Amino acid sequence: MDQFIVKPLFGHGPIEWYTPTNVTLWMGLAVLCVIGLFVLGTRGRAVIPSRIQSVAELAYGFIYKMVEDICGHDGVKYFPKIFTLFVFIIFTNYLGLLPMSFTPTSHIAVTAVLGFGVFFAVTLLGFYKHGAHFLGLFWMSDAPLILRPIIAVIEVISYFVRPVSHSIRLAGNIMAGHAVIKVFAGFAAIAAISPVSIAAIVAIYGLEVLVAFIQAYVFTILTCVYLKDALHPGH
């Protein structure tokens, strides 16, 4: 588990809130990659796009359609925030697959900020747009009257569990994949089973490439679902 240790970039002293660490470094590199792809890569605005511009346009169109399909036209105005979350997470995940790198999204401290940030944002938005009517999200008027209070309690509990599951799902999946690769890498030093270990590492690495995208996609689509509940809280 040494690969998940947060270390200061300079010196070996205690880590304070302002200390530059390996987490800071790799999140900063992810931001630079986002800028490189979507600012520098599309600055030409070519009618016949380059490969980099094509990737940027495909990502933009993919998330834009997701937001529009799930949240409706009212949700399109929140597309920039959702798109920013997606590209930041996916670049952080993929940079973490480089040898000797660090994956900030394997830490619950990072994913909790993202998850709880989405939770508080959509909750405040729901109350801002609908006032007390936002509480209708927890009241299923179509259910039998005797079951409505029970369902309301379940809905409230599930609502407050959202940011926890939202953040743990991302961190857990990323951490698990990296840990499994490290376990098989340890067996690679044993000559008798090294071919099997290396084959397993290659297979799991290929799976992690897919998981890195899927987890960014799942985080984004759940954000859209939560936003939809804030914009249209009635069951």
Side-chain angles (χ1 to χ4, degrees):
M1 304 295 285
D2 291 350
Q3 60 180 313
F4 303 115
I5 296 175
V6 177
K7 301 176 182 178
L9 292 180
F10 311 104
H12 302 282
I15 296 177
E16 306 291 346
W17 65 269
Y18 52 82
T19 305
T21 64
N22 46 358
V23 179
T24 312
L25 173 64
W26 287 96
M27 286 197 295
L29 291 175
V31 172
L32 290 177
C33 287
V34 172
I35 294 172
L37 177 61
F38 292 99
V39 177
L40 302 179
T42 61
R43 68 184 184 278
R45 306 293 199 282
V47 177
I48 301 176
S50 63
R51 290 185 179 90
I52 296 178
Q53 184 177 331
S54 295
V55 171
E57 290 177 356
L58 284 171
Y60 183 97
F62 176 68
I63 302 301
Y64 186 92
K65 189 173 188 307
M66 179 195 297
V67 174
E68 192 173 38
D69 289 346
I70 297 175
C71 303
H73 185 70
D74 294 344
V76 171
K77 67 172 69 174
Y78 306 102
F79 164 76
K81 173 178 172 56
I82 296 172
F83 186 62
T84 301
L85 281 172
F86 174 77
V87 295
F88 174 77
I89 292 172
I90 200 167
F91 270 110
T92 306
N93 289 350
Y94 278 128
L95 285 174
L97 293 174
L98 297 175
M100 306 303 293
S101 66
F102 186 87
T103 313
T105 45
S106 66
H107 275 256
I108 190 66
V110 174
T111 59
V113 171
L114 301 177
F116 277 89
V118 170
F119 174 77
F120 288 123
V122 298
T123 302
L124 293 174
L125 177 65
F127 279 110
Y128 173 77
K129 293 185 71 68
H130 304 287
H133 293 292
F134 178 64
L135 297 175
L137 177 67
F138 310 112
W139 189 256
M140 294 192 67
S141 56
D142 296 335
L145 183 60
I146 193 172
L147 294 178
R148 291 178 194 176
I150 300 173
I151 295 174
V153 172
I154 296 172
E155 288 287 338
V156 170
I157 294 172
S158 66
Y159 186 83
F160 283 97
V161 169
R162 282 180 176 184
V164 179
S165 62
H166 207 187
S167 53
I168 289 178
R169 181 184 298 106
L170 175 58
N173 280 280
I174 299 301
M175 175 182 284
H178 285 62
V180 171
I181 290 176
K182 189 65 176 289
V183 168
F184 279 104
F187 287 117
I190 304 173
I193 60 173
S194 61
V196 177
S197 296
I198 293 171
I201 291 170
V202 173
I204 295 171
Y205 190 90
L207 179 62
E208 281 301 296
V209 171
L210 182 62
V211 168
F213 172 80
I214 290 175
Q215 289 305 313
Y217 172 78
V218 169
F219 193 97
T220 307
I221 201 169
L222 287 175
T223 300
C224 292
V225 171
Y226 301 158
L227 176 61
K228 173 182 171 293
D229 288 341
L231 297 175
H232 312 286
H235 279 281

